[in-house]
Amino acid sequence: MDLSTWITFFAAAWAISLSPGAGAIAAMSAGLNHGLARGWPIVFGLVAGIWTQIVVVGIGLGALIAASSLAFLIVKWAGVAYLVWLGIQQWRAPAVPVVAETADAPTVSGRALFLRGWLVNAVNPKGTVFLLAVVPQFLDLASPLAPQYAVIAGTLAFTDTLVMAGYMLLAARVLRLLRAPAHLKAMNRVFGGLFVLAGTLLASFKRV
């Protein structure tokens, strides 16, 4: 990928990463519930989910998902179900401040957070269709494609890591100031509602 093309894609990558969606909600939820230090695995999971999408698009499965009504619906409703399930879990989460070091504090493993982040981005046909529409514009079909996909994956990983970390930091440093149980319960329900909203929006998404 030549430099001018990469610079254009780099700018597009920031727009892609900054676009509010399920990934941003997941990052802020992790920051609220687990703090900045313990929340990093979800950021890495979100990036791994993007890489999964790029691999899917690169090997042609993305075109199949976009073209096949059945494949599209299976992936779409799996994503909807997962986001709604996350919303219910967040809604029912205990009202425990992330700064509290008590036996009541929620204990979620780094592996579980990573898997949560990966599923949010990987099981999302909207992301697949979006990448199918955007990525080919930056590919030189006369040159080897694997190195170009590697550059695209690395660029998206860089921008998404910084943006998702920013969302998580915002939640961990600002929302953690809310310590009253009523405030914490309200925030959990806000994020739970946002996950369900993200699932509802995904349910309404149709192939162009």
Side-chain angles (χ1 to χ4, degrees):
M1 184 178 292
D2 62 71
L3 182 60
S4 61
T5 302
W6 178 80
I7 290 174
T8 304
F9 180 75
F10 186 60
W14 282 104
I16 294 168
S17 297
L18 286 167
S19 300
I25 298 168
M28 289 190 289
S29 173
L32 172 67
N33 289 283
H34 308 294
L36 182 63
R38 292 184 55 225
W40 273 103
I42 202 165
V43 175
F44 299 140
L46 289 167
V47 171
I50 291 176
W51 284 350
T52 301
Q53 290 275 16
I54 292 173
V55 170
V56 166
V57 170
I59 64 178
L61 291 178
L64 173 64
I65 292 172
S68 168
S69 296
L70 179 60
F72 180 84
L73 287 175
I74 290 173
V75 177
K76 170 182 168 178
W77 287 107
V80 170
Y82 183 65
L83 289 174
V84 171
W85 179 81
L86 284 180
I88 294 172
Q89 293 295 104
Q90 184 70 48
W91 185 281
R92 299 172 59 188
V96 179
V98 296
V99 293
E101 296 293 340
T102 69
D104 295 329
T107 55
V108 178
S109 69
R111 180 180 298 179
L113 284 175
F114 179 90
L115 181 61
R116 176 179 298 182
W118 179 78
L119 283 170
V120 164
N121 274 347
V123 187
N124 188 342
K126 184 176 181 179
T128 306
V129 174
F130 182 77
L131 286 175
L132 275 171
V134 173
V135 169
Q137 301 179 43
F138 298 94
L139 294 176
D140 179 1
L141 300 181
S143 302
L145 294 179
Q148 297 179 72
Y149 275 113
V151 170
I152 287 170
T155 302
L156 283 174
F158 175 77
T159 57
D160 211 57
T161 296
L162 292 182
V163 170
M164 293 304 118
Y167 281 131
M168 188 171 62
L169 177 63
L170 172 67
R173 294 293 172 84
V174 177
L175 300 182
R176 74 184 301 178
L177 299 177
L178 302 175
R179 301 192 184 194
H183 294 161
L184 293 167
K185 182 178 290 186
M187 289 306 305
N188 281 334
R189 291 186 172 181
V190 166
F191 279 107
L194 288 174
F195 273 122
V196 173
L197 176 61
T200 303
L201 292 174
L202 180 57
S204 66
F205 177 71
K206 298 179 181 180
R207 294 175 299 162
V208 178

